């Protein structure tokens, strides 16, 4: 994997991700339906993604795959016959998964189906009603407040019929069958940071790994939230045991600092690798404990699986004002932020790929580094530079108990320095890999 | 136990405890003698306490039950024949367990038997001489300083004779034989906070538990300090092994914040329950490590027993200026403080009663709560309220390793929310008790 | 060991150490050569040190014993023929282990062999070239800057020939064969704090222990840095396993606070003893984690040995401006500092010697101390003084799990108080030693 994971971010990757987000933005996605398929097909222009289909009605763990939802259009006409709400203007206007409706009704009745954000009167909220059949419109609070009494006409031209649940899957075989999972949700309509940014990041990370030799196999999943990961887990119980490390990618395009949410295990290697990488970067960041809210880590970390899957976001789940509103738009995600996020993911995977244990072949006393050209002889110990410190730490702690990441943490050194030192020492037969 | 331990404090319990303290206040108690018996009989008006008697001379562990001490009166007369100290004014005037004396002596000799508090010249100190035969008077420093040379007459009309050591015991059978111990010392004369307050609290806690169905059996002990708990332990070595949790109640009536002293084990369930309850209350509090000074936890936590017994006080052992002086009087204990103390004890017992482990019956992925009416479908995860958070946490952590208290602590939720969530989930067969 | 380790510092020990340092100061030491032998012979006036010899060329672990280096004189003459640098003025002027040279050369060529300290223009740096054959002069920066172009004459009248590596060793047999190691490096030329101070401290500590009955056997090593400890370990692999505790003594004469560097194990008994002693002294101090730089603890703590050896210094390795310069001279070390260092070492050894586990013979309840004259009866628990606290703690925790040091740490008491309490309780048969 060296050479790809260690390389600086491909020039312009941020702009390319931003462009992909722009193409995905207009599509109306939900947990099922044509929008998901169209989105996954767009990704196939970049990576050889397989699009899976699971029929409605399939039992998946405690759940059942729901009907497929599709929508052609929707509107609300005021008493004067003017279209005051139109799905064509924003797919957020329709509560996702709304049942079809075509009726006239007084304002009082309609208002029970209208949702707005009083604190942000110009934004449209994102609402869903997946598991209780209903319908509704999300509107700006400004519009809502101006609506006058009278008879309104509402139309949602949608279908809820037996069909398919779709998700995208890409597996890259590494030297071992042990897997690293990268998972993102692909079910949100026109919302950019949450989660077109995660979809773009996973796509470009997969693109970089394609054809690269890696230690681990990599599995990328683009899934409708909750039901998608539950479906994948139901169909892949045995395969799930191969997942040794995982990250759920979401909200990686905004300008906020990084936020890593630990796996349920709490001190898994992925948790330590992510914390290590973030600590050694200059950017502000936050490490938070696992909690059973958030994204699909909820399912991967359910007690029957308990996988070592964390989640790395910028301003994450519910943590920024534009979250789940029309203001989570193309202006919120920034190429530089996307590119930096990609770089952090890449560096974390680099730690996971490179982390291993060595045994010092000369464990009694220090080996004579100078004789092997690994130590400047004039100047003595005081002239000790960073790499020599890394070499001394690796030699001292390579008793079979300490991994390179353990050593980096105890020494307060960056993983990459420690890994490079270990490689130099291995070349001189002072270390052997366990 | 639900219904009693969960109930709000019985209205007026604080006033009733205050009233009981007022009845007990005038009695001259010591580690043996009529005062202890009279006090225990007063408690029998509230609870079916059994009064145990152990003869003087009985070997109890490393100790011997001492003689019974009784006193009819005592005084000091000055050279002019005026009674300047009189036991009738305050039973603190006589050093507890003083041998009888009736003599005339010069001031210089008398002064070796007089005790006062220079820093509080109007208070009478509480002194004892249990295990070395002696006699003495405690007086105000103001009096002491005004005493002039001359011949004084001293009289202590006491007896030290073979008799009984008494203590009160009440055991309430629960669904299991595992016991919760509530212990208080009953040997102090006219001192209110230390420890008529603890006696009143134990009495009213027992009164609430009477006839209630509980998981644990409850044992209440009203004992003379040190020798009483040693006597009980000597007579009940086998029974002591049934004690799974315990609290020593003392100094629970003053206006100070709570102070919980951990058991010797340090992280026993009772220690964690007490810390949890105090943390979630608004009142200031302090948690201190076990130390081998204090009250009868010293004996329960001796290495040969090492019981999980902590001590919950307000201003505790030696921590307030009125401690062991005549200023620890009826004005120091307050009905509101007593009632709040009772409520905290009740809530801690509620945690102990309700704490258990469950196993999630649908551990793979999250179960679909909406289908079971346990989740509001419109609004999505963002509308997640407290109880749903508790449900998700309980489901996620109920793998058999985590108790409800563990879950409450990790989730940062109040135990009661977590317990209620667990009950709801158990009713829907999503949890089964281990 | 009581009586020596517990005694106050022998009066004048600081002055005597200072005097010894003054005798050692002029000698030109290096890792091999006559200077080491002369120095060790000076120490033999105080303690029966054995001087070991290991021939050049001997394989010792990953290293080979180097040739013996000796030097008679050295100088640099300027173009005018003036001796501007002379070994007779300071043995720091010659880079230690310099190969012989006698040549004329232009300034430009000479400058590649000159070392100075621009930030301290009047100090001469200490430089070595042990493992790459080279030569050089250390000079003041002031001199260097005044040197004019022209032809210089350089002479180093040294030899590098097969010979001996020498070190000093003294073993004092205790009641057991388990050993405490005291190690110091003896290879530095005219540098006082680093490490004539360590040599003096080890000498006087050994002197105190001579003829004293101790629990542990004591091994004192005076070794050339790195190669010396590697040589000793190579020749004594089996004996090294007897070393249960150890300290590397260096830089113990300056005015700085103490600095204890933990062993690689990190929480060994010696680490806890040192931290305990330093915490209870008023002097400021610092505890730092093990790192694989510093002195011979690097070798003792290499993974193949992993001995419980820490290092106690004042301003330690690289931590003071005069470090490895001519300013580390007789003025930097102070008799009071040396004496205090000796006292701290002595107190740490006292903890190691006295630390053991007891079992309470009356573990059920507290034993009645008053009956045994171990508790004042009038005054009650409030009059509890320090020693009685120590007694209660020792009784409470002596269940076989807790050592006296564990007890002292938990109780917040000084080890010596706890040990004294344990001895008193043992005399009354309330404790038995495990």
């Amino acid at each position: 994997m060296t050479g790809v994971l260690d390389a600086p971010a491909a020039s312009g990757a941020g702009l390319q991700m931003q462009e992909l987000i722009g193409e995905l933005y207009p599509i109306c996605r939900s947990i099922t339906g044509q929008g998901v398929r169209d989105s996954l097909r767009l990704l196939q222009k970049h990576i050889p993604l397989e699009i899976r289909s699971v029929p409605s009605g399939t039992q998946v763990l405690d759940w059942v795959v729901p009907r497929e939802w599709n929508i052609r259009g929707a509107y609300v006409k005021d008493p004067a016959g003017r279209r005051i709400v139109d799905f064509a203007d924003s797919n957020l206007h329709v509560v996702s998964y709304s049942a079809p409706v075509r009726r006239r009704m007084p304002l009082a009745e309609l208002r029970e189906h209208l949702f707005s954000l009083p604190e942000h009167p110009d934004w449209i909220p994102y609402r869903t009603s997946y598991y209780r059949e209903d319908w509704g419109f999300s509107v700006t609070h400004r519009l809502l407040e101006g609506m006058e009494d009278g008879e309104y006409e509402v139309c949602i031209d949608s279908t809820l019929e037996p069909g398919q649940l779709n998700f995208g899957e890409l597996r890259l075989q590494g030297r071992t069958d042990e897997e690293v999972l990268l998972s993102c949700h692909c079910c949100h309509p026109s919302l950019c940071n949450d989660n077109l940014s995660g979809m773009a990041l996973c796509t470009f990370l997969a693109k970089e790994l394609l054809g690269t030799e890696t230690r681990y196999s990599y599995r990328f999943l683009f899934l409708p939230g909750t039901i998608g990961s539950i479906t994948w887990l139901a169909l892949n119980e045995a395969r799930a045991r191969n997942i040794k490390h995982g990250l759920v990618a979401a909200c990686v395009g905004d300008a906020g600092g990084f936020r890593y949410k630990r796996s349920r295990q709490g001190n898994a290697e992925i948790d330590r690798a992510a914390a290590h990488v973030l600590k050694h970067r200059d950017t502000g960041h936050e490490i938070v404990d696992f909690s059973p809210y958030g994204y699909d880590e909820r399912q991967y970390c359910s007690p029957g699986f308990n996988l070592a899957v964390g989640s790395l976001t910028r301003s994450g789940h519910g943590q920024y004002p534009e979250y789940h509103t029309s203001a989570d738009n193309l202006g919120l995600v920034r190429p530089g932020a996307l590119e930096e996020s990609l770089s952090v993911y890449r560096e974390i995977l680099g730690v996971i790929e490179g982390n291993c244990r060595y045994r010092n072949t000369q464990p009694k006393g220090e080996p004579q580094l100078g004789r092997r050209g690994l130590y400047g002889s004039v100047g003595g110990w005081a002239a000790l530079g960073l790499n020599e410190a890394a070499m001394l730490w690796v030699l001292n702690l390579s008793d079979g108990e300490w991994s390179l990441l353990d050593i980096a943490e105890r020494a307060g050194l960056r993983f990459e320095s420690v890994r490079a030192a270990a490689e130099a020492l291995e070349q001189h037969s002072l270390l052997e890999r366990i």
Side-chain angles (χ1 to χ4, degrees), chain A:
Chain A
M1 182 162 233
T2 320
V4 164
L5 286 183
D6 298 337
S11 170
L15 289 168
Q16 293 172 50
M17 286 189 271
Q18 173 83 336
E19 191 180 337
L20 175 58
I21 289 169
E23 293 174 71
L24 292 163
Y25 184 61
I27 303 171
C28 180
R29 284 161 294 273
S30 183
I31 54 171
T32 56
Q34 190 59 36
V36 173
R37 284 189 291 273
D38 291 346
S39 300
L40 297 175
R41 275 179 201 138
L42 261 179
L43 303 188
Q44 285 179 324
K45 293 184 187 171
H46 296 271
I47 51 172
L49 198 62
E50 301 205 49
I51 300 178
R52 312 286 188 200
S53 297
V54 182
S56 300
T58 307
Q59 178 79 31
V60 284
L61 303 176
D62 192 53
W63 302 58
V64 173
V65 172
R67 290 172 292 174
E68 188 173 318
W69 182 70
N70 285 290
I71 182 165
R72 275 173 295 270
Y75 61 83
V76 175
K77 283 190 184 161
D78 71 6
R82 285 173 301 217
R83 279 198 187 210
I84 55 167
V85 182
D86 194 333
F87 176 74
D89 296 334
S90 168
N91 56 37
L92 294 175
H93 274 317
V94 175
V95 168
S96 192
Y97 235 66
S98 278
V101 64
R102 183 181 294 265
R103 280 176 47 206
R104 300 181 69 83
M105 64 187 69
L107 179 60
E109 188 183 344
L110 175 58
R111 284 196 75 146
E112 293 181 12
H113 295 269
L114 298 181
F115 305 96
S116 71
L117 294 166
E119 65 275 28
H120 294 293
D122 293 318
W123 296 359
I124 307 163
Y126 165 53
R127 302 293 294 256
T128 67
S129 184
Y130 295 142
Y131 301 102
R132 190 168 64 94
E133 189 165 323
D134 203 349
W135 62 266
F137 286 89
S138 288
V139 296
T140 66
H141 198 62
R142 202 172 300 283
L143 179 88
L144 187 73
E145 290 208 301
M147 287 169 77
E148 287 171 7
D149 277 346
E151 181 112 313
Y152 285 79
E153 179 189 339
V154 301
C155 166
I156 297 181
D157 182 11
S158 67
T159 54
L160 269 172
E161 291 168 355
Q164 306 293 329
L165 175 143
N166 301 105
F167 61 87
E169 186 165 17
L170 172 63
R171 185 175 183 284
L172 304 174
Q173 178 67 41
R175 289 196 300 276
T176 68
D177 287 338
E178 293 189 336
E179 290 187 4
V180 178
L181 172 70
L182 279 300
S183 175
C184 60
H185 59 282
C186 65
C187 51
H188 286 191
S190 294
L191 296 170
C192 283
N193 198 37
D194 180 16
N195 189 28
L196 299 180
S197 71
M199 293 168 67
L201 183 139
C202 285
T203 302
F204 277 78
L205 197 54
K207 207 167 176 173
E208 287 187 2
L209 287 171
L210 268 171
T212 305
E213 191 190 316
T214 56
R215 167 184 179 183
Y216 290 105
S217 296
Y218 282 77
R219 187 178 299 272
F220 288 85
L221 294 176
F222 300 76
L223 304 153
T226 305
I227 187 65
S229 50
I230 282 170
T231 299
W232 188 88
L233 287 167
L235 302 178
N236 297 277
E237 275 199 41
R239 280 188 196 93
R241 298 194 203 302
N242 284 337
I243 296 171
K244 296 304 169 195
H245 321 280
L247 290 171
V248 169
C251 304
V252 291
D254 66 90
F258 289 99
R259 186 170 194 266
Y260 179 73
K261 176 184 169 183
R262 292 193 187 95
S263 74
R264 179 182 185 271
Q265 297 178 24
N267 199 28
E269 194 174 340
I270 188 70
D271 299 324
R272 300 180 58 229
H276 178 84
V277 167
L278 292 173
K279 185 177 70 187
H280 283 276
R281 294 218 163 209
D282 279 341
T283 53
H285 72 276
E286 192 186 4
I287 309 275
V288 297
D289 281 330
F290 174 78
S291 67
Y293 346 112
Y295 300 111
D296 288 314
E297 67 276 10
R298 297 166 63 145
Q299 311 308 327
Y300 302 126
C301 296
S302 58
F305 291 104
N306 195 25
L307 300 176
V309 177
S311 178
L312 177 61
T313 60
R314 284 176 170 276
S315 300
H317 184 261
Q319 302 284 315
Y320 56 104
E322 302 88 351
Y323 175 80
H324 277 201
T325 76
S326 56
D328 184 353
N329 58 24
L330 288 165
L332 192 71
V333 298
R334 305 180 181 191
L338 289 164
E339 186 147 338
E340 190 190 34
S341 296
L342 182 64
S343 156
V344 170
Y345 268 78
R346 192 191 291 126
E347 188 174 346
I348 293 170
L349 298 185
V351 172
I352 292 291
E353 284 278 317
N355 193 27
C356 59
R357 285 179 170 73
Y358 287 93
R359 196 179 306 280
N360 180 336
T361 61
Q362 303 288 339
K364 292 179 178 170
E366 293 175 0
Q368 196 180 357
L369 297 178
R371 166 159 58 91
R372 294 169 174 92
L374 292 169
Y375 188 72
S377 66
V378 174
W381 308 117
L384 204 66
L386 179 69
N387 289 335
E388 284 162 332
M391 278 190 283
L392 293 176
W393 273 109
V394 170
L395 285 167
N396 189 272
L397 293 178
S398 286
D399 57 7
E401 294 299 308
W402 295 76
S403 73
L404 293 186
L405 181 54
D406 295 333
I407 295 170
E409 287 290 312
R410 180 159 175 187
L413 296 170
R414 202 160 184 147
F415 179 81
E416 187 46 35
S417 298
V418 168
R419 194 189 59 76
E423 283 188 5
L425 292 166
E426 192 181 16
Q427 278 161 22
H428 286 81
S429 303
L430 287 171
L431 292 184
E432 57 190 22
R433 199 153 171 173
I434 297 179

